[in-house]
Amino acid sequence: MAQQKYTDQQMLDALRTAADGLETPLSAKAYDALRPAGAPSGLTINKRFGGWNASLQAAGLPTNQASGHKAHRSDADLASWVARYLADPETTGSYGGYATWSKNHPDAPSAHTIRYRFRTWSAAVEVATRTEVR
């Protein structure tokens, strides 16, 4: 397993430094423009904390309000959607299959959201197979 280059504390400190003096919540794009020299990228922070707003929240900073986006979903909710997909006899069980299936289910999270949260499609499937379909 690769050793982490930055600690959580270093990442949170970089967020706080970039946000210092801003009147609006820090966006990932703004962070990358303002980040201190040698600090981790916004993408690295985003991945570590499971999303940009989760990163801001962990740093004690104001979060960006979702405009038209679904509310933050729990791992259990995401796994439940994967379990529903896997239980559908007309699906392939693949990431691409889920991406197509989710477009026909308006409340379903995107395939990208699933894979991003669980790091891999295989990990999402593993969690989903232990999850009760709601």
Side-chain angles (χ1 to χ4, degrees):
M1 181 180 229
Q3 186 173 350
Q4 296 178 342
K5 183 174 178 180
Y6 302 98
T7 66
D8 289 356
Q9 191 61 49
Q10 288 170 318
M11 291 184 170
L12 298 174
D13 288 344
L15 282 172
R16 291 181 194 113
T17 299
D20 189 38
L22 293 180
E23 293 182 18
T24 60
L26 180 67
S27 69
K29 184 176 181 177
Y31 168 78
D32 280 328
L34 298 168
R35 71 180 163 149
S41 70
L43 181 61
T44 299
I45 293 172
N46 199 6
K47 285 182 178 180
R48 175 77 58 89
F49 292 97
W52 190 250
N53 278 338
S55 303
L56 294 173
Q57 190 172 36
L61 297 170
T63 59
N64 296 301
Q65 296 300 316
S67 54
H69 298 286
K70 294 178 181 74
H72 178 72
R73 297 174 182 259
S74 67
D75 287 357
D77 181 46
L78 297 178
S80 178
W81 277 100
V82 174
R84 284 185 219 180
Y85 163 72
L86 295 171
D88 186 332
E90 297 182 21
T91 63
T92 64
S94 69
Y95 173 79
Y98 178 84
T100 301
W101 180 88
S102 67
K103 290 177 184 170
N104 294 319
H105 296 81
D107 292 331
S110 70
H112 174 77
T113 296
I114 299 286
R115 188 168 61 184
Y116 183 83
R117 179 74 61 85
F118 292 101
R119 309 266 187 222
T120 66
W121 176 249
S122 298
V125 168
E126 183 179 329
V127 172
T129 58
R130 297 179 295 199
T131 301
E132 184 178 323
V133 177
R134 293 187 247 163

